[in-house]
Amino acid sequence: MRIGLLGTGNVARALAHGWRAAGHDVLLGSRRPEERTGLGLPVAGLDETAAHAEVLVNATPGGVSVDLLHSIGSPALAGTLLIDVGVSLSDDFSALTHPNSSLGELIQEAFPLTHVVKTLCTMDSTTMTTPGELTEPGTVFLSGDDAEAKRTTGRLLTDLGWPESAQLDIGGITTARGQEHFAFLFMGIAGGVGSHTFNIKVVTRPSAGALQPDTA
């Protein structure tokens, strides 16, 4: 697929390398592409990247993501799958800038004709693209309102090394809030294990089925 990644930081570059290794056509999008040469990846302006892409990935700092997408414009994003991997934290990493919502929800609200899927925001860039280097991959979550968009996203996750058994669809885009709010637990775990390269795994009882009310 033609994948346009908005951003040129560690996350965007890691994902671009991972998907290019899987055979996809990747392009990084920057507001100043002339300053982002030498990355070992093709870079273009934001509008060109959006026009090129079948799938867009938002890998920009969460505090600027919505404004950056507005600069591209709703018509250019209409009907497009947009995979959002961002989290919007304050400069000192002490607070979320949207404590009662999520970046994924804000993007979906601002661009209702765009199919937003939230994923990969509960881990670092190394784990995003090389889950097989952990003792086991753990769990990667998907949130979004469009079932086909989530299926496409799932296939792209598989191309990064995430087996279907590791992918957990947790519901509509409102559930992106839980993924993003995990940021604080992520930082706590990182301090506890002394590394940012780790993942969590959802484990259940062997006979786990549909949710049942707790009558205790």
Side-chain angles (χ1 to χ4, degrees), residues 66-77:
V66 174
D67 287 343
L68 183 143
L69 290 168
H70 274 303
S71 75
I72 298 172
S74 296
L77 301 176

Side-chain angles (χ1 to χ4, degrees), residues 5 28 41 43 45 47 50 60 78 81 99 102 111 116 120 140 142-143 146 153 160 166 175 182 195 204 210:
L5 298 104
L28 296 178
L41 293 161
V43 184
D47 292 343
T60 63
L81 164 57
S102 68
F111 303 94
V116 180
L120 290 172
V140 60
L142 297 95
S143 303
D146 185 274
T153 302
L160 293 176
T175 65
F182 176 75
S195 172
T204 63

Side-chain angles (χ1 to χ4, degrees), residues 3-214:
I3 303 175
L5 298 104
L6 304 176
T8 57
N10 291 338
V11 170
R13 296 198 306 270
L15 291 172
H17 280 298
W19 277 317
R20 186 166 70 169
H24 296 288
D25 177 0
V26 301
L27 181 63
L28 296 178
S30 172
R31 286 173 290 191
R32 294 178 293 276
E34 69 281 357
E35 299 177 7
R36 303 301 290 162
T37 58
L39 298 180
L41 293 161
V43 184
L46 299 176
D47 292 343
E48 182 181 346
T49 301
H52 167 86
E54 297 172 273
V55 176
L56 274 176
V57 179
N58 175 48
T60 63
V64 304
S65 295
V66 174
D67 287 343
L68 183 143
L69 290 168
H70 274 303
S71 75
I72 298 172
S74 296
L77 301 176
T80 300
L81 164 57
L82 190 147
I83 299 173
D84 175 37
V85 302
V87 177
S88 186
L89 290 165
S90 60
D91 291 340
D92 63 358
F93 300 103
S94 67
L96 290 163
T97 59
H98 42 263
N100 298 312
S101 185
S102 68
L103 178 59
E105 290 174 89
L106 295 177
I107 294 173
Q108 187 64 87
E109 181 181 0
F111 303 94
L113 300 182
T114 302
H115 307 304
V116 180
V117 177
K118 189 80 185 189
T119 191
L120 290 172
C121 71
T122 55
M123 62 196 73
D124 77 342
S125 60
T126 301
T127 304
M128 289 179 187
T129 55
T130 55
E133 293 185 1
L134 303 178
T135 54
E136 58 178 292
T139 304
V140 60
F141 305 97
L142 297 95
S143 303
D145 295 334
D146 185 274
E148 182 57 34
K150 284 193 281 191
R151 282 191 288 270
T152 300
T153 302
R155 291 192 292 271
L156 291 174
L157 290 174
T158 299
D159 289 340
L160 293 176
W162 294 95
E164 289 187 18
S165 59
Q167 301 176 27
L168 182 59
D169 181 348
I170 59 173
I173 195 62
T174 57
T175 65
R177 197 173 305 186
Q179 291 198 55
E180 296 183 29
H181 288 207
F182 176 75
F184 297 113
L185 182 54
F186 175 89
M187 289 186 282
I189 295 172
V193 302
S195 172
H196 290 89
T197 304
F198 63 89
N199 196 22
I200 59 169
K201 181 178 181 179
V202 174
V203 295
T204 63
R205 292 179 177 179
S207 60
L211 289 174
Q212 299 293 329
D214 187 350

